[in-house]
Amino acid sequence: MTIVRTEKLCKVYNPDTVPVHALNNVCIEVDEGEFTALRGPSGSGKTTLLNMIGGLDKPTEGKVFIDGHEISSMKDSKRIDFRLQNIGFVFQHYNLIPVFTAAENVAFIMMLQGRDKQEIRKRTDKLLDQVGLGDRKDARPAQLSGGQQQRVAVARALASEPRFILADEPTANLDTEAAMNLLDIMEKMNREQNITFVFSTHDQRVIDRARRVVTMVDGAIDQDEIQDPDKT
Amino acid sequence: MNTFLKLAWRNIWRNKRRTMITISAIVFAVLAAIVMQSMNRGSYEVMIDRMVSFSTGYLQVQDYRYDREASLDNAFHYDDALGETVLSADTRIERVVPRLETFMLAANDVSTRGSVVFGVDPEKEQAFNQIDNYLAEGRFVESNEYTAVMGKGLADRLQLDVGDTLALIGQGRFGMSASGLFEITGLLEHPIHDMNNSAVYLPLGTAQELLSAEEHITGLLISVQQARQTDAVAASLRSTLEDGELVVFTWPELMPELLELMEMDLAVPRLLTLVLYVVIGLGFFGTVLTMTMERLREFGVLLSVGMKRGSLSLVLFIETLIISIMAVASGILLSWVLLKLVDPIALSGEAAQAVIDMGFDPVIPMSFAPDQFFVQGLYVFVIALIVFLFPLVKILRLNILEAARS
Ligand SMILES: Nc1ncnc2c1ncn2[C@@H]1O[C@H](COP(=O)(O)OP(=O)(O)O)[C@@H](O)[C@H]1O
Ligand SMILES: [Mg+2]
């Protein structure tokens, strides 16, 4: 089942001054249960594409559909709510609320969704256990390592039970061990719970673990291949 | 909601030092503003209180012509029935105090002085303003005596003392000549400077007889349980006395000059307060500005993951509000304690003498009027609202991607 579908997506930054064509007619589909890496050199448009799919920015031309809903034409407030219910985000840099503990960061999203308190507590515990931070629930982000922070971010992204999770260079700031650890967790969730992941990266070790690799060059899709991660 | 509150509370303490400095600055402004006001108003409140007790009453019933021409000809008929009517017009009325007031010449054997003669009901007067407490010598007059009590200043000028005879010469109602001799039973250290040099008190009946104004008074003073009830009582009294020839005045209407003077005197502390608040407001703004700017990235993330702009604004608003509430509460508390500690400031030495010579007490009483505390809270709240506009606009306009990149 197709979750994400883009139609001739174009993005031009600064159209009036120094136009930058960040995306040129990108058409891509993502199916449920995918574990997809978006790779390409810096400036190739990975972040821009993820932002379009995640409804964080509007395309200059073209459309983005999530489960058949055209997110690219939604009004700001509606898009925010749509994101809350349907899309999980993990960003490159620290993106947790610094004054909240790990558990509070995870619970916060569910609170915004208006879930029942009891349910929030249970689910928070479960998610933090899943990312291996069951014993660091009450730690603030500053007390956690970069890898641990990203694991909390994954738990938070998952908390809202989104249709898919977008991760923009989630391992860029992590050492190898932490990066592999994060990948293990994401992979396990993908395999066991059929959670869809789309992540950008230019780290070969991360790319090796994806099942689908989409390569971008100059704002366009250059290659789109299926690989068997277990072989490499 | 609970979560937003928690978020706001913790955000405030992310930079403890900055928050403490901001709060201290506001506390200082509130404290300074209240103390300045309190000192200024304190003296006036004592004055107003005395004027109300000894001159105007909280409210006063008069003949409608008396305001234009304060003459005995415009006195009105008063008996116990009218007293009852007024007293029962409103439950907040505590008591009614009749007075007959006119100018006369006070004289000893050789010289005369202008004086203001008050015909009063001794018991009611005492109940209303405890005039006995101001007796320097002797006792107050009693009903139906041909006696007088006078201000000590006037007595000194006429070289009269307790037991001497005071002559009063003047005009009664409708031009009747009026003169009489009265034994002085007491001298008053009158709390109102002017009246100390001019007031003569006679029993009401005696004064009415002297002035050919039997059963007449010039003003019926009314005391209410609490000063702030004045206007409400005036309204109900006016409807009770409707149609008649009697009119009701409130104390601010009866002594506008004093209130104007107070307003003028308050202009300086008000201006200082304004300047203070502008400065403090800018500081507050600076804090909120940095609190906003340094978190734009975080705001971007929050909006990305699905927090509504309205909710985010609410959190920022709660932060602004908590800071102001803490500051205002401590400012009010501190100023109250400080005022309690210093009240009243007693002057000494030359300063004291100078004030005494001007006819005032050598103390500066503090005002504890509740409104001066609340008003400062209101000011700070208004400042907080203005200051909050910045993060509000910033959040409503925030471009998620730009924020995330900052
Ligand atoms: N806000 C922006 N304004 C102008 N140009 C931008 C902006 N964001 C990205 N770009 C440009 O768009 C192109 C694609 O950027 P990006 O999507 O960030 O690439 P990637 O994530 O693959 O490194 C680059 O040339 C970049 O400089
Ligand atoms: Mg990028």
Side-chain angles (χ1 to χ4, degrees):
Chain A
M1 181 187 175
T2 306
I3 300 181
V4 180
R5 185 166 63 84
T6 72
E7 252 175 35
K8 291 190 175 173
L9 215 50
C10 294
K11 178 68 185 182
V12 183
Y13 289 111
N14 316 323
D16 307 322
T17 53
V18 198
V20 179
H21 294 263
L23 292 181
N24 299 309
N25 290 314
V26 173
C27 297
I28 186 174
E29 289 192 4
V30 178
D31 288 345
E32 193 165 4
E34 279 192 22
F35 198 65
T36 298
L38 205 55
R39 78 158 172 199
S42 184
S44 58
K46 302 183 295 295
T47 298
T48 306
L49 179 57
L50 288 180
N51 287 345
M52 297 298 148
I53 295 174
L56 296 178
D57 201 2
K58 285 190 170 190
T60 312
E61 266 174 66
K63 293 171 179 173
V64 179
F65 295 92
I66 310 289
D67 278 333
H69 303 282
E70 192 190 340
I71 191 174
S72 43
S73 66
M74 283 180 194
K75 285 221 292 227
D76 181 78
S77 58
K78 198 176 170 208
R79 259 193 303 152
I80 289 183
D81 199 53
F82 190 84
R83 281 200 299 269
L84 175 65
Q85 306 299 347
N86 296 286
I87 311 173
F89 289 92
V90 179
F91 302 96
Q92 174 181 342
H93 305 286
Y94 106 108
N95 59 71
L96 301 173
I97 304 170
V99 294
F100 274 170
T101 63
E104 285 166 343
N105 264 284
V106 175
F108 186 63
I109 300 296
M110 292 185 274
M111 192 283 294
L112 291 180
Q113 287 183 314
R115 294 190 189 214
D116 170 68
K117 258 192 178 163
Q118 198 69 25
E119 183 198 348
I120 292 178
R121 191 163 329 121
K122 267 197 203 149
R123 198 166 155 71
T124 301
D125 287 350
K126 195 181 105 191
L127 287 165
L128 285 173
D129 283 339
Q130 278 178 24
V131 298
L133 291 171
D135 54 343
R136 301 305 312 269
K137 288 188 178 78
D138 297 325
R140 298 256 180 120
Q143 300 163 324
L144 297 171
S145 70
Q148 289 173 325
Q149 286 188 41
Q150 285 303 60
R151 274 144 63 192
V152 176
V154 169
R156 179 182 67 179
L158 223 63
S160 60
E161 296 185 272
R163 292 290 284 141
F164 61 101
I165 291 179
L166 296 174
D168 192 5
E169 313 228 14
T171 61
N173 291 342
L174 305 183
D175 59 35
T176 306
E177 198 194 326
M180 289 305 122
N181 185 257
L182 187 69
L183 256 288
D184 289 343
I185 288 168
M186 287 164 57
E187 208 172 34
K188 190 164 172 238
M189 288 173 165
N190 173 258
R191 208 167 345 104
E192 293 177 359
Q193 302 171 48
N194 201 34
I195 290 168
T196 311
F197 279 91
V198 179
F199 50 92
S200 71
T201 185
H202 47 244
D203 181 341
Q204 191 56 45
R205 292 161 310 179
V206 176
I207 294 164
D208 287 342
R209 303 190 54 171
R211 276 201 299 282
R212 177 183 174 192
V213 180
V214 177
T215 310
M216 292 195 69
V217 176
D218 291 341
I221 294 179
D222 189 57
Q223 281 180 43
D224 190 345
E225 48 199 354
I226 304 292
Q227 66 176 17
D228 185 352
D230 300 329
K231 262 187 187 168
T232 50
Chain B
M1 187 60 220
N2 212 348
T3 312
F4 292 166
L5 211 78
K6 187 162 66 182
L7 184 56
W9 177 255
R10 294 200 193 152
N11 279 328
I12 289 174
W13 301 111
R14 275 163 89 157
N15 191 329
K16 280 204 185 71
R17 226 166 65 105
R18 184 175 62 206
T19 301
M20 284 318 293
I21 290 172
T22 309
I23 291 180
S24 312
I26 301 173
V27 168
F28 171 75
V30 171
L31 187 73
I34 291 178
V35 170
M36 275 191 300
Q37 282 238 348
S38 172
M39 279 178 68
N40 264 276
R41 277 172 61 163
S43 320
Y44 278 99
E45 273 170 11
V46 170
M47 255 188 272
I48 287 170
D49 191 54
R50 287 176 183 170
M51 290 296 281
V52 164
S53 302
F54 291 96
S55 176
T56 65
Y58 288 101
L59 299 132
Q60 194 175 138
V61 176
Q62 298 176 351
D63 183 278
Y64 75 99
R65 285 158 294 211
Y66 191 78
D67 185 45
R68 245 178 303 135
E69 193 196 345
S71 142
L72 284 177
D73 297 352
N74 295 327
F76 61 95
H77 185 262
Y78 172 79
D79 53 19
D80 290 345
L82 178 58
E84 268 312 308
T85 306
V86 172
L87 200 54
S88 55
D90 193 301
T91 52
R92 289 165 291 192
I93 294 179
E94 222 172 27
R95 54 177 61 88
V96 294
V97 185
R99 280 188 197 156
L100 180 67
E101 175 183 341
T102 193
F103 283 101
M104 294 190 89
L105 287 176
N108 61 9
D109 298 345
V110 287
S111 61
T112 63
R113 288 265 170 190
S115 72
V116 184
V117 173
F118 293 93
V120 298
D121 179 319
E123 275 120 58
K124 290 182 172 158
E125 199 70 22
Q126 167 64 14
F128 179 45
N129 55 25
Q130 292 82 46
I131 198 162
D132 281 3
N133 295 353
Y134 299 91
L135 280 167
E137 282 168 62
R139 62 165 178 86
F140 200 64
V141 295
E142 278 168 23
S143 294
N144 304 319
E145 292 180 339
Y146 286 81
T147 52
V149 159
M150 59 199 297
K152 199 160 185 316
L154 179 62
D156 287 347
R157 284 173 197 188
L158 291 172
Q159 294 172 326
L160 290 170
D161 217 329
V162 174
D164 292 347
T165 300
L166 166 72
L168 289 173
I169 308 142
Q171 205 177 44
R173 201 163 141 77
F174 300 126
M176 304 291 280
S177 74
S179 62
L181 298 175
F182 303 90
E183 188 193 334
I184 300 169
T185 60
L187 299 182
L188 285 172
E189 196 66 76
H190 205 289
I192 296 173
H193 188 61
D194 282 350
M195 291 175 78
N196 196 43
N197 292 331
S198 64
V200 174
Y201 288 89
L202 302 178
L204 183 58
T206 307
Q208 285 170 332
E209 193 186 313
L210 171 71
L211 297 167
S212 315
E214 280 81 1
E215 304 214 312
H216 276 68
I217 59 173
T218 51
L220 185 64
L221 281 64
I222 293 166
S223 73
V224 290
Q225 283 152 6
Q226 283 169 1
R228 63 184 159 78
Q229 298 164 336
T230 303
D231 286 338
V233 171
S236 71
L237 202 51
R238 275 171 189 145
S239 69
T240 304
L241 297 176
E242 205 177 23
D243 304 334
E245 301 200 325
L246 297 180
V247 288
V248 180
F249 292 102
T250 61
W251 62 267
E253 291 167 343
L254 291 167
M255 47 177 158
E257 315 82 13
L258 187 62
L259 292 175
E260 270 168 36
L261 207 64
M262 177 169 89
E263 285 301 311
M264 265 165 55
D265 256 17
L266 279 176
V268 174
R270 286 219 173 100
L271 189 71
L272 283 175
T273 304
L274 182 72
V275 172
L276 204 60
Y277 274 132
V278 167
V279 173
I280 300 298
L282 286 175
F284 194 6
F285 181 75
T287 299
V288 171
L289 181 112
T290 33
M291 271 174 79
T292 307
M293 295 310 282
E294 70 192 8
R295 280 196 285 158
L296 284 185
R297 234 192 87 78
E298 203 175 309
F299 295 168
V301 171
L302 287 169
L303 295 177
S304 301
V305 300
M307 188 171 190
K308 290 191 177 66
R309 288 177 200 266
S311 309
L312 185 54
S313 309
L314 179 64
V315 171
L316 268 286
F317 182 63
I318 297 174
E319 290 174 22
T320 316
L321 208 60
I322 292 179
I323 292 181
S324 1
I325 288 174
M326 286 198 296
V328 168
S330 354
I332 287 178
L333 198 74
L334 265 176
S335 55
W336 194 84
V337 170
L338 186 75
L339 290 178
K340 273 286 170 206
L341 284 178
V342 302
D343 178 59
I345 297 177
L347 300 177
S348 58
E350 274 178 36
Q353 196 52 53
V355 173
I356 293 171
D357 290 345
M358 281 191 307
F360 297 102
D361 296 337
V363 291
I364 306 175
M366 301 291 132
S367 164
F368 287 89
D371 67 290
Q372 59 187 1
F373 295 97
F374 296 141
V375 162
Q376 304 309 320
L378 199 69
Y379 288 164
V380 174
F381 184 67
V382 169
I383 292 174
L385 280 183
I386 295 171
V387 162
F388 170 67
L389 286 180
F390 177 76
L392 180 68
V393 169
K394 204 74 198 167
I395 289 171
L396 292 184
R397 291 206 182 148
L398 189 70
N399 178 314
I400 297 178
L401 295 179
E402 279 169 24
R405 267 209 315 275
S406 63

